[in-house]
Amino acid sequence: MQTAIFWPVIAQVLLVHALYILMLRRRIAGVRAGAASVKDFLIPSVEPAPSASVARSIMNQFELPVLFYLVTVLLFLTGGAGFLAVLLAWGFVATRYAHALVHVTVNRLFLRQKLFIAGFAIEVALWLLFAAHIL
């Protein structure tokens, strides 16, 4: 059961890879449509909105999820990756997928904010679970 904690981690990494592929496709489409030139991608602030939203979503995947990666490894190393930890980890990943989906589609800030807060709360719960485990 301990290694089950790594399936949500793998799912999170797959999300990051999928976002990179989407960003590349949107950047190529922007250049082909004439909305951008290859030089525009040297300075991300001039990137067209469709690919810029994906680029920002990728950056989000290297903020809060870094703490998620760490706590999952710590839970595994200390034998605390039980059912509740795995369940919380899947919950966190679900919020990240939903957040990314909103970010790269309708990009509604308040909906993204709610999803971020839910993921943040789950990530905090994982750290509290870890703290209780090593106590």
Side-chain angles (χ1 to χ4, degrees):
M1 177 65 166
Q2 287 288 307
T3 57
I5 196 74
F6 293 122
W7 287 111
V9 172
I10 291 168
Q12 178 64 30
V13 170
L14 287 174
L15 172 61
V16 174
H17 291 162
L19 287 169
Y20 272 114
I21 292 167
L22 179 60
M23 182 178 64
L24 177 62
R25 292 180 71 175
R26 287 191 179 178
R27 284 180 172 176
I28 290 169
V31 170
R32 286 185 178 157
S37 73
V38 174
K39 293 178 186 176
D40 292 339
F41 300 108
L42 296 174
I43 304 170
S45 64
V46 297
E47 186 167 348
S51 58
S53 65
V54 181
R56 181 65 187 127
S57 186
I58 290 170
M59 285 190 286
N60 287 170
Q61 302 310 320
F62 292 97
E63 294 169 354
L64 187 61
V66 171
L67 297 174
F68 165 74
Y69 295 136
L70 179 59
V71 76
T72 56
V73 170
L74 291 172
L75 283 162
F76 174 78
L77 290 175
T78 61
F83 178 78
L84 180 57
V86 172
L87 185 65
L88 287 169
W90 277 117
F92 176 80
V93 171
T95 66
R96 298 311 301 160
Y97 268 79
H99 183 273
L101 181 63
V102 170
H103 209 168
V104 302
T105 58
V106 295
N107 203 11
R108 292 197 177 116
L109 180 61
F110 292 116
L111 180 54
R112 277 188 14 232
Q113 182 183 42
K114 288 178 184 178
L115 291 165
F116 174 83
I117 290 168
F120 177 78
I122 294 170
E123 186 266 338
V124 168
L126 278 165
W127 279 98
L128 292 173
L129 182 65
F130 172 65
H133 171 70
I134 62 171
L135 188 65

